[in-house]
Amino acid sequence: MLQRMKFQTPVGCLAVEVSAGRIVGIGLQAFHHQAAEVRPLGSCRGVFSRVADQLAAYFGGRRREFTLPLDLRGTAFQQRVWLALRTIPAGEVRTYGEVAKALGSHARAVGMACRHNPVPLVVPCHRVVAADGLGGFSGQTAGPALALKRWLLEHEGALPTPLAAD
């Protein structure tokens, strides 16, 4: 059974989906057609309580990585990319090309796997940038998604000077 809950955070509403006690999705915008109660961080139980606690610590500057139970569904290649992304420390970035080289792949394929990341923030695809700028975020190359990527990188202290003017 899929459970949904929205959390109010400094970057807006994060929609979290859980199945069998494991996180299967995080939406960086409100659900489009699903009703779910918006909760302030720290007002829930079970896995949602762990999510709320870790989000509050992350946004409060007391946590840099997430240790949440995940059920990530994707291709074998996507799984490899998502695992590689989890090794990028907060405060650092990698280019799509660097991740691709480490996996014996291509930058565009890494970008597509990032685009299909079901749990952005927890699997930190925002830490992957283009060789000449920020690149995209959640399939967007401008607008609110890119502003969110910039905010997350600034929050983590990872926005390199050349990218600040991107």
Side-chain angles (χ1 to χ4, degrees), residues 6 9 38 79 94 100 109 112 115 119 121 126 133 140 145 154:
K6 295 185 214 173
T9 74
V38 177
Q79 297 281 344
R94 302 288 184 274
M112 288 303 291
R115 179 181 188 160
V119 291
L121 191 59
H126 62 279
Q140 307 289 318
E154 287 174 354

Side-chain angles (χ1 to χ4, degrees), residues 28-116:
L28 298 172
Q29 300 172 1
F31 292 110
H32 297 287
H33 301 300
Q34 302 290 334
E37 182 180 351
V38 177
R39 301 273 182 117
L41 294 176
S43 66
C44 18
R45 292 181 276 168
V47 71
F48 288 116
S49 177
R50 288 184 62 194
V51 170
D53 290 347
Q54 290 189 27
L55 286 172
Y58 173 80
F59 288 114
R62 298 179 313 278
R63 174 179 280 279
R64 302 201 24 105
E65 309 297 335
F66 293 91
T67 56
L68 295 166
L70 303 176
D71 182 5
L72 303 180
R73 297 177 185 166
T75 67
F77 177 73
Q78 288 171 333
Q79 297 281 344
R80 287 179 47 221
V81 171
W82 300 336
L83 184 61
L85 299 183
R86 294 190 79 186
T87 68
I88 303 171
E92 296 183 20
V93 295
R94 302 288 184 274
T95 66
Y96 295 100
E98 288 170 332
V99 175
K101 184 176 181 181
L103 296 174
S105 184
H106 301 282
R108 200 167 287 236
V110 169
M112 288 303 291
C114 288
R115 179 181 188 160
H116 290 95

